[in-house]
């Protein structure tokens, strides 16, 4: 009798299953990373980022970089003067900083940022976290930008001060940064980096304080007399003396 060449049914089933498994486990080609567009980076980069800075000097430096919606940035390294200027998003992973530097190789995953910061030909690798937005509202949208003091009202301080400053800039951010600089030409002669928020009960003023100190709403405050997208008028009291200032957006 001629022997059958048919495979047992159970063996055929095994071969079919093995074939299916081999198809499922076959290595798949890696999908190329999707690069961000300029528009996407312009949105995702907004806010304040605390940074760990890796440089040839030390691996333990810390700092921060903040990007405002009006194209202003604040770059701060520990125990150094802050750098303020205008930024420009030039691609999906690079931003130029005031013609003197750039942030390149930018990667943002949720609230994590990594890349490299170059300033005055010195490049450091950075990685850090985004600071949550602490202050919201329509008034904040108008206030959160860079302002420069004019010579109207008591702005004569620009012509008569002990620092020799001829320009005073202040910046308010949604992350609660209140940053001020006194400049003589392009040279920084004095600066202050504080925190701010709206007064808890009085809608016409904000309060400010240094990091690590207590908030005193009845002593450290600024009255907002007028606030639009093109002008900021404030009143401050020092030792009972009233001083009025007029600011316009920093170009």
């Amino acid at each position: 009798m001629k022997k059958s060449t048919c495979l047992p049914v159970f063996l055929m089933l095994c071969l079919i299953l093995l074939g299916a498994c081999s198809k499922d486990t076959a290595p798949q080609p890696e999908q190329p990373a999707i690069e961000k567009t300029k528009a996407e980076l312009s949105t995702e980069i907004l806010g304040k980022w605390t940074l760990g800075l890796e440089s040839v000097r030390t691996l333990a430096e810390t700092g921060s970089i903040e990007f405002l919606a009006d194209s202003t940035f604040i770059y701060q390294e520990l125990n150094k003067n802050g750098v303020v200027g205008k930024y420009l998003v030039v691609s999906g992973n690079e931003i130029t900083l005031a013609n003197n530097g750039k942030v390149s190789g930018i990667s943002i995953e949720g609230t994590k940022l990594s890349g490299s910061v170059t300033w005055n030909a010195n490049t450091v690798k950075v990685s850090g976290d985004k600071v949550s937005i602490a202050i919201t509202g329509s008034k904040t949208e108008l206030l959160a930008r860079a302002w420069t003091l004019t010579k109207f009202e008591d702005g004569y301080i620009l012509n008569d001060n002990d620092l020799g400053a001829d320009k005073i800039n202040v910046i308010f951010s949604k992350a609660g940064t209140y940053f001020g600089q006194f400049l003589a030409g392009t040279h920084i002669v004095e600066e202050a980096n504080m925190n701010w928020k709206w007064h808890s009960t009085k809608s016409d003023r904000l309060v400010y304080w240094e990091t690590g100190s207590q908030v005193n709403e009845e002593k450290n405050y600024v009255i907002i007399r007028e606030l639009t997208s093109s002008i900021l008028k404030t009143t401050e009291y020092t030792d009972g003396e009233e001083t009025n200032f007029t600011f316009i957006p920093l170009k």
Side-chain angles (χ1 to χ4, degrees):
M1 179 183 293
K2 188 176 180 181
K3 292 184 179 180
S4 172
T5 58
C6 294
L7 292 172
V9 174
F10 80 91
L11 184 56
M12 292 180 64
L13 289 173
C14 288
L15 291 174
I16 292 171
L17 290 173
L18 286 172
C21 290
S22 65
K23 290 180 181 178
D24 291 340
T25 57
Q28 300 295 319
E30 291 187 6
Q31 296 297 320
I34 300 175
E35 294 187 2
K36 295 184 186 298
T37 65
K38 288 171 56 176
E40 289 173 330
L41 182 59
S42 297
T43 299
E44 292 184 9
I45 200 65
L46 293 178
K48 183 175 184 178
W49 304 82
T50 58
L51 302 176
L53 311 176
E54 300 177 14
S55 71
V56 294
R57 300 185 303 278
T58 175
L59 296 179
E61 290 189 358
T62 58
S64 66
I65 191 165
E66 191 162 0
F67 298 93
L68 279 65
D70 70 339
S71 298
T72 299
F73 75 90
I74 309 170
Y75 177 50
Q76 182 87 50
E77 290 186 53
L78 187 65
N79 299 324
K80 296 182 180 180
N81 285 335
V83 178
V84 176
K86 294 295 183 178
Y87 71 89
L88 178 66
V89 178
V90 295
S91 73
N93 65 358
E94 184 169 319
I95 297 172
T96 59
L97 305 175
N99 298 321
N100 291 316
K102 64 181 180 179
V103 187
S104 56
I106 300 171
S107 175
I108 298 176
E109 297 294 336
T111 60
K112 301 289 185 181
L113 176 146
S114 62
S116 297
V117 175
T118 300
W119 188 260
N120 290 335
N122 180 43
T123 299
V124 292
K125 292 183 178 180
V126 299
S127 60
D129 301 283
K130 190 171 189 176
V131 177
S132 60
I133 294 176
I135 310 171
T136 59
S138 57
K139 289 193 303 180
T140 302
E141 292 294 331
L142 292 172
L143 183 67
R145 67 190 68 213
W147 302 89
T148 188
L149 182 64
T150 71
K151 293 185 178 181
F152 297 108
E153 297 190 293
D154 293 318
Y156 64 81
I157 191 174
L158 292 171
N159 298 325
D160 182 19
N161 60 82
D162 296 334
L163 299 173
D166 57 12
K167 189 173 186 178
I168 299 175
N169 298 332
V170 297
I171 300 173
F172 297 93
S173 83
K174 295 178 184 178
T177 299
Y178 177 19
F179 187 85
Q181 281 188 329
F182 290 72
L183 299 101
T186 59
H187 177 65
I188 300 170
V189 294
E190 187 72 30
E191 69 176 23
N193 196 349
M194 295 179 287
N195 308 287
W196 79 276
K197 67 176 183 176
W198 295 112
H199 195 285
S200 60
T201 59
K202 298 177 181 178
S203 61
D204 67 340
R205 64 195 63 188
L206 60 86
V207 296
Y208 59 89
W209 69 98
E210 294 182 355
T211 299
S213 65
Q214 295 293 319
V215 180
N216 188 332
E217 291 194 335
E218 303 311 313
K219 181 179 179 181
N220 300 322
Y221 64 88
V222 176
I223 294 176
I224 307 294
R225 293 182 288 117
E226 183 177 350
L227 174 60
T228 69
S229 60
S230 59
I231 197 165
L232 168 64
K233 292 186 177 182
T234 66
T235 297
E236 296 187 45
Y237 292 90
T238 304
D239 298 327
E241 183 176 345
E242 178 182 298
T243 308
N244 297 311
F245 297 109
T246 297
F247 298 85
I248 59 174
L250 179 65
K251 302 298 184 181

